[in-house]
Amino acid sequence: MSWEKEIRQLFAEGHEKFLRNISVDCIIFGFHENELKVLLLQAKYAGSWALPGGFILKDEHMDDAAKRILQERTGVDDVYMQQFYVFSEPDRSNKKINKLFLKNAGIELEESWLFERFITVGYSALVDFSKVLPVPDNISSDCKWFNIHDIPGMILDHRNILDKALENLRMQLNYHPVGYNLLPEKFTMPELQKLYETILDRKLDRRNFQRKIMSTGILKRLDETKKGVAHKAPYYYKFDLRKYQKALKGGMGFEL
Amino acid sequence: MSWEKEIRQLFAEGHEKFLRNISVDCIIFGFHENELKVLLLQAKYAGSWALPGGFILKDEHMDDAAKRILQERTGVDDVYMQQFYVFSEPDRSNKKINKLFLKNAGIELEESWLFERFITVGYSALVDFSKVLPVPDNISSDCKWFNIHDIPGMILDHRNILDKALENLRMQLNYHPVGYNLLPEKFTMPELQKLYETILDRKLDRRNFQRKIMSTGILKRLDETKKGVAHKAPYYYKFDLRKYQKALKGGMGFEL
DNA sequence: CCAAAAGTGTTTAAAATACACCCATGC
DNA sequence: GCATGGGTGTATTTTAAACACTTTTGG
């Protein structure tokens, strides 16, 4: 199907396929070169950026919708993802942006379910940066990572949603283990610490960090050390997946 | 307007007034005679019980919808209320219940937006039991308090929603002060402790509790003591509203 | 004056924090 | 061999938990 036809169908008949007035937006966090990143889409014609989002199929669990969106934008599957807040300002509507979009796309439509107000549920995900191949959706011209400290202008309240996701991530850090989806399979303790420091945006004590993390039991140290590195070679670690999953559910209650 | 006419209008034309596919359910907690209570509605004709819920006006913030519902069911205004989770099972639909309801009400309708699937946002509220006058809505036959340990059969996934609200309340207890909306203006320390014990469902040490609470600074002790009581008379306390509000926002991070 | 509940304080254990020392490696 | 980053251990402080004693009041 041609792009124009797809878009026309989405705008004209999407409400037969999706739930109305409700959407899902994903904050996809990644970690690369010691920096926390977020995956954003550039709205076609408009130029400003947006969170990867989408709609819920009439017979689909909202969690599955979020996972589907993540999968479509990144190719990544089966990661830790959770809703963190619902955004419901009465003026949350893409009417203007979508009308401009249709005009530029050469599509004429007077009415569309997409001109209505939407309530959106924010989902946050942590993904392995190296496994992601960013793919724009069909209303976007680009899809790429942004450093968390260098976020471009965003549509609607998306900046607000992003900030809330980050705040939530920092809170969660005390109760849930983090890293399994953000780091490669093998990693060193300094790398894990950098991740925590990046998310929390402050320095942590190297020795206390190691003790705290190891006391949770979610890590296993390998006999292998990192090669070809200046100074003393750090050990590699990997997550003990059983205990990691257990800690994800039950919480592990530690503070940093 | 007659009841039948109101109902017919809600079912036939409600979608012009409210957002579709999305609803709000309120878990209204109260505290009375040392027991934690929840306010429930009895679905007309069906007999089983339901959380007070409703829909979001097309131009209304979701938080305001929740407050409006609370106000309508209890007469209570201006209390602490917050969303805690979104429930989105694909089979969340009142189709059967609503069809039966219409049939019993003697109203004929083949189609209605209320037969569709709904995603619902759970809101929890803490209210002053003594100020509440429970009022059923127009699809319910009764509205009353239930002890948290004695919950009747509930429709759909409402029991699940209630459980999640309770879990959430217990979690929040460590970060947010509780009691301002649940207790009368003046109260004694043992009363406040009972409230905490009831919510957490376990005993707390009297002395450590007092120290911990007082260290947060959200309470002010009055010179007055409780009169006409056997044994030593306890002091009255009241909340320092400024510090209470501050702690509500900033969190106060204490464990019990 | 005694039982029962409330106020205040101390003692002990655990946990968070700060800090010191040694080890390995590339330059 | 020395600067740098990494591994391991210990002292200190802070906080939580357990426990004891005194005070007040009604019967």
Side-chain angles (χ1 to χ4, degrees):
Chain A
M1 188 157 56
S2 78
W3 179 75
E4 275 88 0
K5 198 155 182 194
E6 259 184 49
I7 295 296
R8 172 176 286 277
Q9 189 167 359
L10 175 66
F11 275 77
E13 298 161 24
H15 60 280
E16 291 168 14
K17 195 173 160 191
F18 298 109
L19 297 183
R20 298 179 79 131
N21 301 313
I22 184 163
S23 62
V24 169
D25 282 304
C26 302
I27 295 78
I28 303 169
F29 290 108
F31 188 64
H32 187 57
E33 290 174 343
N34 286 339
E35 289 182 340
L36 189 65
K37 314 262 188 182
V38 208
L39 196 68
L40 300 182
L41 296 167
Q42 187 168 39
K44 242 171 203 167
Y45 311 119
S48 54
W49 295 77
L51 295 167
F55 309 105
I56 304 162
L57 291 166
K58 288 216 165 180
D59 195 35
E60 181 184 42
H61 196 288
M62 189 174 59
D63 291 358
D64 295 329
K67 282 177 186 163
R68 177 171 50 76
I69 292 160
L70 175 69
Q71 151 69 26
E72 285 170 5
R73 289 308 126 247
T74 64
V76 171
D77 223 331
D78 198 37
V79 303
Y80 182 64
M81 216 175 173
Q82 60 168 359
Q83 45 159 289
F84 64 90
Y85 203 73
V86 185
F87 301 86
S88 64
E89 295 292 327
D91 60 352
R92 285 198 86 270
S93 159
N94 274 318
K95 186 163 185 174
K96 279 185 189 169
I97 294 171
N98 282 338
K99 285 218 163 188
L100 179 69
F101 172 83
L102 286 181
K103 190 179 167 194
N104 279 301
I107 297 171
E108 280 181 41
L109 260 181
E110 271 312 300
E111 282 306 317
S112 168
W113 67 301
L114 290 176
F115 298 162
E116 289 180 33
R117 166 190 173 195
F118 274 82
I119 283 182
T120 200
V121 182
Y123 272 80
S124 82
L126 308 173
V127 304
D128 183 345
F129 184 91
S130 68
K131 287 189 184 147
V132 169
L133 183 72
V135 180
D137 60 23
N138 56 14
I139 59 165
S140 304
S141 56
D142 199 0
C143 178
K144 61 181 198 184
W145 291 103
F146 283 86
N147 185 308
I148 203 68
H149 290 116
D150 192 19
I151 301 294
M154 297 181 77
I155 64 165
L156 279 179
D157 56 350
H158 282 207
R159 179 54 192 265
N160 178 36
I161 298 177
L162 173 54
D163 289 342
K164 192 108 185 176
L166 195 57
E167 182 192 320
N168 184 259
L169 178 60
R170 286 179 180 144
M171 294 264 287
Q172 296 272 321
L173 216 54
N174 291 330
Y175 302 98
H176 294 291
V178 162
Y180 180 67
N181 292 305
L182 283 169
L183 292 171
E185 200 183 351
K186 300 191 299 189
F187 51 89
T188 66
M189 192 58 74
E191 282 165 2
L192 181 62
Q193 184 177 338
K194 265 274 176 289
L195 171 61
Y196 271 76
E197 288 181 339
T198 304
I199 294 175
L200 292 173
D201 205 22
R202 63 187 172 92
K203 287 272 167 218
L204 299 173
D205 183 279
R206 186 168 55 88
R207 299 149 285 194
N208 294 334
F209 178 79
Q210 165 129 349
R211 189 148 20 97
K212 197 70 83 49
I213 288 286
M214 291 313 285
S215 77
T216 65
I218 59 172
L219 289 188
K220 272 197 295 207
R221 192 173 85 178
L222 308 179
D223 285 333
E224 194 182 351
T225 58
K226 193 164 183 174
K227 304 294 178 197
V229 65
H231 324 301
K232 183 167 183 176
Y235 286 98
Y236 277 117
Y237 292 81
K238 68 174 188 180
F239 286 103
D240 182 332
L241 207 43
R242 286 175 57 89
K243 293 190 180 165
Y244 187 89
Q245 302 285 11
K246 202 173 161 188
L248 258 188
K249 305 216 161 126
M252 51 191 201
F254 70 154
E255 304 239 353
L256 289 168
Chain B
M1 187 157 52
S2 79
W3 179 75
E4 276 89 0
K5 197 154 183 195
E6 259 183 48
I7 294 296
R8 171 176 287 277
Q9 187 166 2
L10 175 67
F11 275 77
E13 298 158 25
H15 60 279
E16 291 168 14
K17 195 173 160 191
F18 298 109
L19 295 184
R20 297 180 80 129
N21 301 313
I22 183 163
S23 63
V24 167
D25 281 305
C26 302
I27 295 79
I28 303 169
F29 291 107
F31 187 65
H32 187 58
E33 290 173 346
N34 287 339
E35 289 182 340
L36 189 65
K37 314 261 187 183
V38 208
L39 195 69
L40 299 181
L41 295 168
Q42 187 167 39
K44 242 171 203 167
Y45 311 119
S48 54
W49 294 76
L51 295 167
F55 309 104
I56 304 163
L57 291 166
K58 289 217 164 180
D59 195 36
E60 180 182 43
H61 196 289
M62 189 174 58
D63 291 358
D64 295 328
K67 281 178 186 164
R68 177 171 49 79
I69 293 160
L70 175 70
Q71 151 69 25
E72 283 170 7
R73 289 310 125 246
T74 65
V76 171
D77 223 331
D78 197 38
V79 303
Y80 183 62
M81 215 174 174
Q82 60 168 2
Q83 45 160 290
F84 65 91
Y85 203 72
V86 185
F87 301 85
S88 65
E89 295 292 328
D91 60 352
R92 286 198 87 269
S93 159
N94 273 318
K95 186 164 184 171
K96 280 184 188 170
I97 294 172
N98 282 339
K99 285 216 164 190
L100 179 70
F101 172 82
L102 286 181
K103 191 179 165 192
N104 278 302
I107 298 171
E108 279 181 42
L109 260 181
E110 271 312 299
E111 283 305 317
S112 168
W113 67 301
L114 291 176
F115 297 163
E116 290 180 35
R117 166 192 173 196
F118 273 83
I119 283 181
T120 199
V121 182
Y123 273 79
S124 82
L126 308 173
V127 303
D128 183 344
F129 184 91
S130 68
K131 287 188 183 149
V132 169
L133 182 73
V135 180
D137 60 23
N138 55 14
I139 59 167
S140 304
S141 57
D142 199 2
C143 179
K144 61 181 198 183
W145 292 102
F146 284 87
N147 186 309
I148 204 68
H149 290 117
D150 192 20
I151 301 293
M154 296 180 78
I155 63 165
L156 280 180
D157 56 349
H158 282 206
R159 180 54 193 264
N160 179 37
I161 298 177
L162 174 53
D163 289 342
K164 192 107 185 174
L166 195 55
E167 182 192 320
N168 184 259
L169 178 60
R170 284 175 181 147
M171 294 264 288
Q172 296 270 323
L173 215 54
N174 292 328
Y175 301 98
H176 295 289
V178 162
Y180 181 66
N181 292 305
L182 284 170
L183 292 171
E185 201 184 351
K186 300 191 300 188
F187 51 89
T188 66
M189 192 58 75
E191 282 165 2
L192 181 63
Q193 184 176 341
K194 266 273 176 289
L195 171 61
Y196 271 76
E197 289 181 340
T198 303
I199 294 175
L200 292 173
D201 205 22
R202 64 186 171 90
K203 287 272 167 217
L204 300 171
D205 183 280
R206 184 169 55 89
R207 299 149 284 193
N208 293 335
F209 178 80
Q210 164 130 351
R211 188 147 17 98
K212 200 70 83 48
I213 288 286
M214 291 312 287
S215 75
T216 65
I218 59 171
L219 290 188
K220 272 197 297 204
R221 193 173 86 176
L222 309 179
D223 284 333
E224 194 181 351
T225 59
K226 193 164 182 174
K227 305 294 178 195
V229 67
H231 323 302
K232 181 166 183 177
Y235 286 97
Y236 277 117
Y237 291 81
K238 68 174 188 180
F239 287 103
D240 181 332
L241 208 42
R242 286 176 59 89
K243 292 190 180 165
Y244 187 90
Q245 302 285 11
K246 202 173 162 188
L248 257 188
K249 305 219 160 122
M252 53 191 198
F254 71 151
E255 304 239 353
L256 289 168

